[in-house]
Amino acid sequence: MNNAKEFILCKYGELVLKGLNKSTFEHMMAGQMRRRLKDIGNFDIYYSQSTLYIEPKDENCDMDEAYRRAKKVFGISSLSRAIAVEKDLRAILDAAAGYLPQFLVGVRSFKVEGKRSDKRFPMTSPQLSAEIGAVILDTVPGICVDLHSPEVVINVEVREKYAFLHADAEKGACGMPGASAGKAMLLLSGGIDSPVAGFMMAKRGAELEAIYFESIPYTSEMAREKVMTLAAEICEYAGRMTVHTMNLTEIQEEIKKHADEEYFTLILRRVMMRLASRLAHTRGCNALITGESLGQVASQTMLALNVTDSVADMPVFRPCIGMDKEEIVVTARKIGTYDTSILPYEDCCTVFTPRHPRTRPSLDAVIAQEKRIENLGLLEDKAFAEKAERMIKAYN
Ligand code: ATP
Ligand code: MG
């Protein structure tokens, strides 16, 4: 088709509400998009009028993959593939005839919505819409116009540089641009909940790092690789993250030896929170993220959460706290972590699990139990000193 090429148009979500800061957020979002697409072609990525434009510069750009990736960039509420045409009625109508029918296969009704931000264009939006509607009626057999409940809405937008034609926009990833809200440390297990928690906070603009606690040889190499896979799946949205690994085997054995069984999990959870906070400080993180949901298990009652929170010296974000398991699963499936999460590898929390854990623990009692483990501080120092890290990315 002459003088016409396909773009991806991305409309902002909540960002449009930002005042003076808006351009900072736009700049971040464009930067994210450039990084996501840089290995799949030469794209020009820019923004104006609350729209992020993805313009392919040559034939080698993989537009299908670009669209798939753009759907996972936070800050974008909707996106569509659109044909960009020079702002001339003949060119627009030719493009409509050539480009739009592919979106109208088997469709019975449509309407055209016009928007004209370039007021110098010599037709009003309704006039232009009517002309395009006539072209569609001519080229798509059996279709009719339905202004009230059309199956597909065709959009024509006369903007600064081009006129754009596209069918219904799809929902984007929404949220705030990646890394616009500061860095947070995700406690990432191999379960269903913590990957969802990480995703939810990344969606609000948190830049993620992660810490995974293992218990070699009770937990395996496979369990660790599963967590790395989950991190990569979250990175489809979050971009990249460093995953830190710490070994808690000795600590768990000491807790088992000295504390009453019913306190085992609570003390372990406090160890995790202490080590995670410590790591968070050294990595410039301002919050922790966990996947707890109120009442889901004994260590997730209000009193138990108080016992774990009291060792964290920064905010602990628990975005799943008010969600049912079923809702968490729906999100896990949507973001693509569920199938990995249900792989049957052991988790360090299931090593030495008490038969009757405390559900209404008093903080004083837990602290008294914890004091029985005299070398706990030293063992934590050792686990911290021996930590490892790996950089995880979804794309190059
Ligand atoms: P998940 O599905 O995320 O594993 P869970 O329902 O199994 O959660 P718990 O085992 O009580 O819950 O753990 C609560 C939270 O503590 C987890 O969501 C996670 O954030 C963190 N956590 C638990 N185990 C680990 C681990 N081995 N490494 C890192 N974080 C962990
Ligand atoms: Mg778990």
Side-chain angles (χ1 to χ4, degrees):
M1 194 179 308
N2 290 335
N3 301 323
K5 76 170 160 182
E6 198 175 43
F7 277 48
I8 298 171
L9 293 189
C10 307
K11 307 282 171 77
Y12 305 169
E14 225 175 288
L15 264 195
V16 293
L17 305 174
K18 294 283 168 199
L20 293 174
N21 290 334
K22 186 173 156 190
S23 65
T24 314
F25 287 102
E26 287 180 303
H27 180 76
M28 285 179 169
M29 194 162 67
Q32 301 267 338
M33 191 67 84
R34 285 185 198 109
R35 280 193 291 282
R36 296 294 173 85
L37 305 189
K38 77 172 187 287
D39 64 337
I40 51 169
N42 180 15
F43 292 94
D44 201 5
I45 292 167
Y46 49 91
Y47 48 85
S48 125
Q49 297 178 321
S50 293
T51 302
L52 186 79
Y53 295 81
I54 303 177
E55 176 177 354
K57 298 307 283 179
D58 57 44
E59 296 293 300
N60 300 326
C61 290
D62 184 343
M63 290 296 279
D64 291 340
E65 181 62 12
Y67 186 74
R68 197 185 73 79
R69 292 187 187 184
K71 271 179 92 170
K72 295 182 174 178
V73 171
F74 290 127
I76 289 165
S77 73
S78 71
L79 67 173
S80 48
R81 295 176 77 143
I83 195 98
V85 201
E86 100 188 57
K87 291 188 283 184
D88 163 79
L89 180 63
R90 195 66 256 153
I92 293 172
L93 297 181
D94 283 350
Y99 182 70
L100 294 175
Q102 62 180 313
F103 301 104
L104 298 168
V105 177
V107 171
R108 278 161 305 182
S109 62
F110 76 103
K111 81 169 176 183
V112 182
E113 260 176 19
K115 217 163 48 192
R116 185 179 56 131
S117 52
D118 176 3
K119 301 294 178 204
R120 289 165 312 175
F121 189 76
M123 295 173 88
T124 64
S125 301
Q127 284 168 341
L128 180 57
S129 302
E131 294 274 354
I132 293 170
V135 167
I136 293 172
L137 290 170
D138 276 350
T139 38
V140 181
I143 201 164
C144 67
V145 173
D146 181 343
L147 296 179
H148 302 292
S149 50
E151 274 177 44
V152 173
V153 177
I154 295 295
N155 296 271
V156 53
E157 304 182 37
V158 183
R159 290 177 164 252
E160 285 153 55
K161 256 167 86 184
Y162 301 105
F164 291 93
L165 287 165
H166 62 90
D168 290 322
E170 274 193 289
K171 198 166 182 298
C174 299
M176 296 296 287
S180 61
K183 215 173 359 161
M185 183 65 69
L186 168 66
L187 284 81
L188 182 60
S189 72
I192 297 170
D193 308 335
S194 46
V196 169
F199 164 82
M200 288 173 80
M201 296 318 300
K203 181 173 175 175
R204 293 308 302 164
E207 181 181 355
L208 301 182
E209 291 221 0
I211 167 76
Y212 166 60
F213 297 104
E214 59 186 0
S215 190
I216 306 282
Y218 303 107
T219 63
S220 64
E221 199 84 16
M222 303 280 276
R224 185 195 301 154
E225 289 315 309
K226 169 184 169 178
V227 170
M228 299 298 164
T229 304
L230 286 170
E233 286 161 354
I234 300 168
C235 284
E236 293 250 336
Y237 293 88
R240 56 171 62 193
M241 71 171 101
T242 302
V243 181
H244 306 264
T245 308
M246 286 188 211
N247 191 355
L248 300 186
T249 315
E250 269 185 281
I251 292 176
Q252 288 188 261
E253 285 169 349
E254 285 298 293
I255 303 174
K256 183 169 163 52
K257 212 183 293 171
H258 299 287
D260 292 346
E261 184 186 293
E262 61 205 41
Y263 288 97
F264 178 87
T265 308
L266 287 165
I267 298 173
L268 178 62
R269 307 278 313 121
R270 280 164 63 89
V271 168
M272 287 185 182
M273 286 302 233
R274 261 195 302 266
L275 288 170
S277 304
R278 193 163 155 185
L279 180 64
H281 281 296
T282 68
R283 301 291 300 182
C285 298
N286 297 314
L288 302 178
I289 304 169
T290 71
E292 284 134 334
S293 159
L294 188 64
Q296 193 190 82
V297 290
S299 57
Q300 298 177 18
T301 64
M302 287 189 207
L303 291 174
L305 292 175
N306 181 46
V307 162
T308 41
D309 261 6
S310 68
V311 295
D313 56 357
M314 56 179 68
V316 181
F317 295 143
R318 299 185 168 92
C320 301
I321 198 74
M323 292 167 82
D324 293 350
K325 192 74 188 188
E326 225 171 287
E327 293 170 318
I328 300 173
V329 165
V330 167
T331 309
R333 284 189 194 279
K334 194 186 84 189
I335 65 174
T337 53
Y338 181 77
D339 290 339
T340 308
S341 286
I342 59 170
L343 293 173
Y345 302 118
E346 57 303 306
D347 177 75
C348 75
C349 286
T350 56
V351 179
F352 317 136
T353 318
R355 279 156 295 177
H356 302 292
R358 284 259 151 185
T359 54
R360 301 175 51 76
S362 88
L363 183 55
D364 290 344
V366 176
I367 291 173
Q369 288 277 328
E370 201 173 85
K371 286 206 172 118
R372 292 190 190 173
I373 308 150
E374 282 173 13
N375 56 349
L376 188 57
L378 286 176
L379 290 175
E380 286 181 8
D381 289 348
K382 184 162 177 254
F384 193 85
E386 290 170 357
K387 65 186 183 308
E389 67 175 61
R390 202 190 297 178
M391 169 62 88
I392 303 287
K393 295 183 209 167
Y395 313 117
N396 284 321

